[in-house]
């Protein structure tokens, strides 16, 4: 697999020269400063490519391999407001990215909240820090801070009672910090939400159940996949993170069956999957090798990450982000299956036989603890993860 590294651009505390030292071959990045729904201009794309490549007298040797993400607007997901104009902007951005030679475009279809955690610096044994999702704390936020109508019906009695106890024990400052963690959104994003924004966004999903959201996803694919295919691009949808409903909203990209429906909705080599073991692995039914055996030809991009989940409670669970070779996902079996898929593609003569991967998230370790960083994206922790994953790939060759 091609080893890549996520970089958030000039706002990222980790620099391109530091990434070079990790041994990564390519960069995963996006124009996070461009508001969702607007066109990515050729000038801004060229600027990011140049930032990654480095100065002419000191080239980095890195290339911009994957866009993560070209975001799908809430207007498109709900089919409200300027959603048709956003389709036009999305297609135009695809044209500009193709002209710049960037072929792999990641996106997601999660309503309102992107990846969701309650603690962005949870202590782990040995002194490091990890991201963590504490179910009872999230439920307390939903019930008492957000005060979402109907939330009480979404959780079993024992979970509501525990959430109430934990909420009552937190100070106002602790409650505010929890809320900030939950609504933080993606690092580096142009939009930053508060409680009022979340309430307004939830209202826009009134009447949108899982079936309707799937229809809207199929409509999005119908609008953009033909353009991507004509341009030789590979679109790849990231799974829901975590892979269960939050805030009463449907989540429709959480399982292998969901992905089978996604690729069948608009059959095309341009309509594919971002295979994220960290997101999918929170589901106790996730089997990475079986997923790859079933849907491997559609995988365009890989996130390798691990989690340790707690007991299921009402179809949901707490989980902690683990070291890459720890946790509930068998990373050796995962990489072995991915490399077999690459070999199969090579035998077919596919031009995308080598799949880009990146070490996703990681524990904050050593000097990570003494410097600011994007939540979940430490330098030392990801470098450790990349080294461990690289070792598995070498052993599986």
């Amino acid at each position: 697999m091609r080893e890549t590294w996520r970089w958030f651009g000039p706002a990222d505390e980790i620099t391109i020269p530091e990434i070079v030292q990790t041994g990564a071959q390519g960069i995963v990045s996006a124009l996070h400063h461009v508001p969702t729904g607007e066109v990515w201009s050729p000038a801004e794309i060229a600027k990011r490519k140049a930032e990654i490549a480095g100065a002419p007298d000191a080239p980095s040797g890195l290339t911009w391999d994957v866009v993560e993400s070209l975001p799908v607007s809430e207007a498109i997901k709900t089919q409200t407001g300027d959603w048709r104009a956003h389709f036009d902007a999305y297609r135009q951005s695809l044209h500009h990215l193709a002209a710049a030679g960037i072929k792999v475009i990641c996106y997601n279809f999660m309503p309102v909240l992107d990846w969701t955690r309650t603690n962005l610096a949870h202590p782990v044994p040995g002194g490091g820090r990890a991201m963590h999702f504490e179910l009872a704390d999230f439920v307390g936020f939903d019930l008492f801070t957000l005060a979402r109508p109907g939330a009480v019906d979404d959780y079993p009695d024992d979970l509501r009672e525990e959430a109430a106890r934990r909420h009552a024990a937190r100070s106002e400052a602790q409650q505010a910090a929890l809320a900030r963690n939950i609504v933080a959104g993606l690092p580096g994003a142009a939009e930053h939400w508060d409680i009022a924004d979340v309430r307004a966004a939830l209202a826009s999903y009134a009447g949108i159940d899982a079936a309707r959201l799937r229809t809207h996803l199929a409509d999005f694919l119908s609008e953009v996949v033909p353009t991507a295919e004509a341009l030789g691009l590979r679109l790849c949808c990231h799974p829901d993170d975590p892979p269960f409903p939050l805030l009463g909203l449907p989540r429709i990209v959480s399982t292998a069956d969901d992905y089978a429906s996604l690729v069948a909705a608009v059959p095309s080599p341009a309509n594919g999957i971002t295979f994220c073991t960290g997101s999918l692995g929170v589901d106790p039914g996730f089997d990475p090798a079986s997923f790859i055996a079933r849907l491997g030809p559609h995988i365009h991009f890989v996130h390798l990450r691990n989690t340790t989940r707690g007991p299921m409670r009402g179809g949901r669970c707490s989980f902690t982000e683990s070291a890459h070779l720890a946790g509930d996902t068998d990373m050796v079996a995962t990489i072995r299956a991915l490399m077999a898929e690459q070999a199969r593609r090579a035998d077919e003569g596919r031009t995308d036989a080598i799949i880009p991967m990146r070490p996703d998230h990681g524990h904050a370790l050593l000097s990570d603890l003494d410097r600011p960083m994007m939540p979940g994206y430490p330098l030392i922790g990801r470098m450790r993860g990349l080294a461990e994953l690289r070792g598995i790939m070498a052993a599986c060759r």
Side-chain angles (χ1 to χ4, degrees):
M1 286 179 280
R2 183 165 173 84
E3 300 171 8
T4 65
W5 187 278
R6 192 170 193 181
W7 186 59
F8 292 93
D12 199 322
E13 293 88 354
I14 296 170
T15 67
I16 289 293
E18 288 177 314
I19 296 172
V20 170
Q21 294 184 51
T22 70
Q25 300 162 311
I27 292 293
V28 175
S29 192
L31 303 183
H32 302 284
H33 59 287
V34 177
T36 301
E38 293 190 6
V39 175
W40 287 16
S41 71
E44 287 296 318
I45 293 169
K47 181 180 178 182
R48 178 55 49 83
K49 285 188 69 177
E51 290 163 346
I52 291 168
D57 60 342
S60 70
L62 299 171
T63 52
W64 188 1
D65 290 4
V66 180
V67 168
E68 186 181 354
S69 294
L70 181 56
V72 180
S73 68
E74 295 300 316
I76 287 175
K77 294 171 191 172
T78 58
Q79 295 193 355
T80 57
D82 293 333
W83 64 289
R84 294 190 185 278
H86 288 189
F87 281 143
D88 292 335
Y90 207 97
R91 286 188 290 263
Q92 192 61 51
S93 295
L94 293 179
H95 276 279
H96 295 163
L97 288 165
I102 303 168
K103 298 295 187 182
V104 181
I105 318 293
C106 177
Y107 69 95
N108 75 69
F109 218 78
M110 288 179 258
V112 182
L113 297 180
D114 208 291
W115 59 254
T116 305
R117 304 291 186 270
T118 58
N119 191 334
L120 306 182
H122 179 71
V124 294
R129 297 286 186 271
M131 295 207 297
H132 174 76
F133 179 86
E134 183 59 49
L135 178 59
D137 287 344
F138 183 87
V139 172
F141 163 82
D142 193 9
L143 291 172
F144 307 115
T145 301
L146 188 63
R148 176 174 62 89
V152 68
D153 298 324
D154 285 353
Y155 308 110
D157 291 346
D158 65 323
L159 185 53
R160 294 200 308 270
E161 292 166 3
E162 181 183 349
R165 290 194 299 270
R166 294 175 72 99
H167 178 81
R170 284 192 294 272
S171 66
E172 288 188 9
Q174 290 171 328
Q175 291 173 8
L178 174 65
R180 284 194 301 272
N181 289 345
I182 291 172
V183 304
L186 282 179
E191 293 85 7
H192 298 281
W193 293 33
D194 59 21
I195 297 297
D197 295 327
V198 172
R199 288 181 178 136
L202 291 177
S204 73
Y205 279 84
I208 297 179
D209 59 9
R212 185 172 170 190
L213 190 62
R214 286 191 184 94
T215 298
H216 291 183
L217 173 56
D219 291 342
F220 166 73
L221 294 171
S222 296
E223 289 282 345
V224 301
V225 167
T227 299
E229 182 174 351
L231 294 169
L233 303 178
R234 299 188 292 279
L235 298 177
C236 42
C237 187
H238 189 284
D240 302 324
D241 185 7
F244 45 73
L246 298 176
L247 304 181
L249 297 167
R251 294 229 163 176
I252 58 169
V253 191
S254 295
T255 67
D257 286 345
D258 290 339
Y259 271 116
S261 296
L262 183 151
V263 298
V266 181
S268 167
N271 180 21
I273 297 167
T274 297
F275 182 62
C276 178
T277 58
S279 301
L280 294 165
V282 172
D283 180 355
F286 174 60
D287 180 338
S290 295
F291 186 108
I292 296 162
R294 178 180 181 186
L295 294 166
H298 305 283
I299 294 173
H300 297 326
F301 182 34
V302 174
H303 291 180
L304 294 176
R305 175 166 62 86
N306 223 323
T307 54
T308 300
R309 59 182 171 267
M312 298 301 292
R313 304 176 69 181
R316 304 170 179 86
C317 66
S318 301
F319 59 90
T320 302
E321 298 201 355
S322 307
H324 285 77
L325 303 192
D328 295 315
T329 295
D330 184 340
M331 201 60 71
V332 174
T334 300
I335 291 175
R336 184 182 294 118
L338 287 168
M339 294 185 74
E341 168 60 22
Q342 289 190 142
R344 188 195 63 76
R345 294 183 186 193
D347 289 342
E348 287 185 355
R350 282 179 53 165
T351 58
D352 63 342
I354 303 301
I355 305 171
M357 59 75 72
R358 68 173 178 84
D360 197 14
H361 299 183
H363 290 178
L365 304 170
L366 302 172
S367 60
D368 292 332
L369 303 172
D370 300 322
R371 63 185 291 182
M373 72 185 77
M374 299 289 183
Y377 291 92
L379 175 61
I380 304 302
R382 276 190 290 169
M383 184 167 65
R384 171 187 166 179
L386 179 57
E388 292 173 339
L389 298 169
R390 185 181 291 144
I392 296 174
M393 288 188 284
C396 289
R397 288 191 185 104

